[in-house]
Amino acid sequence: MQPIHLVLLWHMHQPDYRNYETGEFTLPWVYLHAIKDYSDMVAHLEAHPSIKAVVNFVPVLLDQLEDYAAQFASGQFRDPLLRLLATPDLEQVSARDRIRAFDSCFRSNHVTMMQPYPTYKRLHDMHETLRARGEAELSYLSGQYLADLIMWYHLAWTGESVRRTNEAVVRLMTQDRGFSHADRLDLLNVIGDLIQGLIPRYRKLAESGQIELSTTPHYHPLAPLLIDFSSARDNMPDVHLPVESCYPGGKGRVAFQLTSAIESHARRFGITPCGVWPAEGAISAAMLEILADHDCQWSASGENVLANSLRKSYGGRPLPERGRYLYKPYHVEGKANSVTCFFRDEKLSDMIGFEYSKWFGRDAAEHLVHSLEDIGRNALSGENPVVSIILDGENAWEYYPYNGYYFLNDLYGILENHPAIEVTTYKDYLGSIQQADVARLPVLTAGSWVYGTFSTWIGDQDKNRAWDLLCAAKHSYDLVMQSKRLTDEERAKAERQLASCESSDWFWWLGDYNPPSVVSSFDQLFRDNLANLYSLLKLPVPVSVHQPISHGGGVVAQDSGTMRRAS
């Protein structure tokens, strides 16, 4: 068996849920994932100090975490659910806030985050029974019902590491019901402490050398498409593209977002990031050239992107067994050959993302390690496999019992004592090899970690319409900026708002295969961002921006919501 290098890259991201006009958060996912997943992931690393990992923080997520930390410091909450949690008398809340609580506080994986808690499930069943009789029946639910519901929603979203160590959370879960305002303030304080401590905890691990912190262009744009819509045709030659031929000034916008991310990273963590995980693992030759211009040492993408690139590089000849080409670093020939590219093992990454949640934690951890050992056994003499397991660091765990606690604890425990698997980071790995160890890739075909294509973000009628709306807004933005009629402060606000409009997340959710309720939320968020951009530019909002783009029609599924299988 050949020794192998293993890189675990956990990608942490949430789109910007803030309304820049009001300062209000429209959805709670940033702070909920903070108290559940970001807290658990750092706790596992703290408990296993010999396990290394790459943790990728998208700057717009860190912006929002800092925003929440400031809200807790001031006691002035701009998140509706946190405001309700802090409200002294829930008998006196508005009808709108009651509806918001009912609409929000059952949004979770009911199998793993509701059924284990009988009181929470009883609150849900009571709500469903009354709603079936008519919405007016919900008015009979008391302020105490609201208090218990809001408390249980947040308790269900606390991480397993928090439940095992925080005395206040243990006490409140044991209390079970009849929560007072003082109880709610106790939980609010726990949430605040967790959020305020997150960035310092990850920074401490980075300073110790246990983790490498990487970044993504600031607002998570789908960079290859911003640069060139036609890059979608590298792997989808017949795809329908937006009416606009290209996004105006896209290359400059990607460079701006990358520069902003690097500066943000240096400010928060005291060091320039060595590597960039591009949004959605989406790369193209033009994107890599921008990374090279910014002195980025490494980037990464999906296995299908590599396979498609190799087929094109070698005239469509059949590829050898994947072990012969996947587990090595690459330099793409051309202007970006200073950037080392790694490619994700999609089978192993998707096993964590979609399959191991159905297994016993120990069995899943041992299976993953055996799979890694098989890679070492199948390696040829002289090969030094480097295996990249890359996936979201927050979205998989709600499908696991106990938020993946046993799987991750057992996996890290096995790996830290394994004689033939070295868990490392990309920075450390690159420091240990010679240039001759890096393979050459003659041609890079553009693609992402989802199917190796851009079909999740372009080609669908609704997605293309969204791109055309964004292009129209960018044309208006350019004209106003050239006119110099805005002050420096107004220009900065408009530039930030445009960057938020460029996020890949809006395009991810549009389409008839996604759940209508989620599509509606993200459709509205995208159009609110566009409307606010026009307002900041002091222009009337076009009628088209007020019209819904997409209605959805799918159902919530593990492999069709916040995560997608690679193939």
Side-chain angles (χ1 to χ4, degrees), residues 131-240:
R131 192 177 69 167
R133 298 175 185 169
E135 295 290 332
E137 296 291 309
L138 296 176
S139 63
Y140 291 106
L141 295 172
S142 67
Q144 186 60 62
Y145 173 93
L146 278 181
D148 289 356
L149 174 61
I150 293 166
M151 284 291 284
W152 264 112
Y153 185 61
H154 287 90
L155 288 170
W157 271 91
T158 53
E160 188 65 20
S161 63
V162 180
R163 296 174 192 170
R164 289 168 180 258
T165 59
N166 189 283
E167 293 181 2
V169 171
V170 171
R171 175 181 62 79
L172 291 168
M173 295 189 80
T174 303
Q175 180 179 327
D176 193 51
R177 65 188 72 190
F179 296 111
S180 66
H181 181 236
D183 294 328
R184 288 187 275 121
L185 292 183
D186 285 346
L187 183 55
L188 199 66
N189 288 333
V190 171
I191 294 171
D193 289 344
L194 289 171
I195 291 173
Q196 291 171 324
L198 269 180
I199 295 176
R201 290 170 75 185
Y202 280 100
R203 177 170 178 157
K204 183 177 180 181
L205 292 182
E207 290 171 345
S208 75
Q210 183 181 352
I211 66 172
E212 176 185 357
L213 292 170
S214 58
T215 192
T216 296
H218 202 122
Y219 285 81
H220 205 259
L222 207 297
L225 292 182
L226 284 192
I227 297 168
D228 182 7
F229 286 156
S230 67
S231 64
R233 289 194 165 134
D234 278 13
N235 290 303
M236 300 187 299
D238 298 323
V239 67
H240 292 288

Side-chain angles (χ1 to χ4, degrees), residues 87-95 97-98 143 146:
T87 298
D89 186 359
L90 292 175
E91 295 285 1
Q92 303 301 319
V93 298
S94 67
D97 280 340
R98 285 173 61 88
L146 278 181

Side-chain angles (χ1 to χ4, degrees), residues 485-544:
R485 70 189 195 206
L486 300 182
T487 67
D488 288 346
E489 181 181 357
E490 289 170 338
R491 289 168 68 91
K493 287 182 177 179
E495 190 162 42
R496 184 179 74 152
Q497 181 63 79
L498 174 64
S500 184
C501 293
E502 291 168 340
S503 169
S504 72
D505 298 271
W506 317 128
F507 304 93
W508 172 289
W509 287 106
L510 299 175
D512 59 10
Y513 51 82
N514 282 316
S517 61
V518 181
V519 170
S520 176
S521 295
F522 280 85
D523 182 348
Q524 188 66 56
L525 272 169
F526 175 60
R527 291 184 292 105
D528 285 348
N529 275 291
L530 289 176
N532 197 42
L533 175 60
Y534 280 106
S535 297
L536 290 170
L537 296 173
K538 301 180 181 180
L539 296 174
V541 180
V543 173
S544 57

Side-chain angles (χ1 to χ4, degrees), residues 284-336:
S284 64
M287 168 60 174
L288 287 185
E289 289 176 13
I290 295 174
L291 295 183
D293 289 342
H294 287 74
D295 299 321
C296 297
Q297 295 179 26
W298 64 262
S299 190
S301 186
E303 176 181 339
N304 283 326
V305 173
L306 175 60
N308 291 336
S309 299
L310 289 171
R311 290 188 189 98
K312 187 169 184 178
S313 295
Y314 300 112
R317 294 198 303 269
L319 296 180
E321 189 273 325
R322 62 198 287 269
R324 301 284 73 80
Y325 63 82
L326 179 58
Y327 305 119
K328 60 180 71 174
Y330 284 86
H331 283 157
V332 178
E333 291 184 2
K335 297 178 182 178

Side-chain angles (χ1 to χ4, degrees), residues 223-286:
L225 292 182
L226 284 192
I227 297 168
D228 182 7
F229 286 156
S230 67
S231 64
R233 289 194 165 134
D234 278 13
N235 290 303
M236 300 187 299
D238 298 323
V239 67
H240 292 288
L241 296 179
V243 173
E244 290 276 352
S245 60
C246 65
Y247 182 65
K251 187 174 181 180
R253 292 302 301 163
V254 172
F256 166 82
Q257 294 230 24
L258 181 58
T259 299
S260 178
I262 292 170
E263 292 173 350
S264 159
H265 191 99
R267 174 177 62 81
R268 289 181 170 110
F269 301 115
I271 189 172
T272 299
C274 292
V276 170
W277 168 252
E280 317 295 1
I283 61 174
S284 64

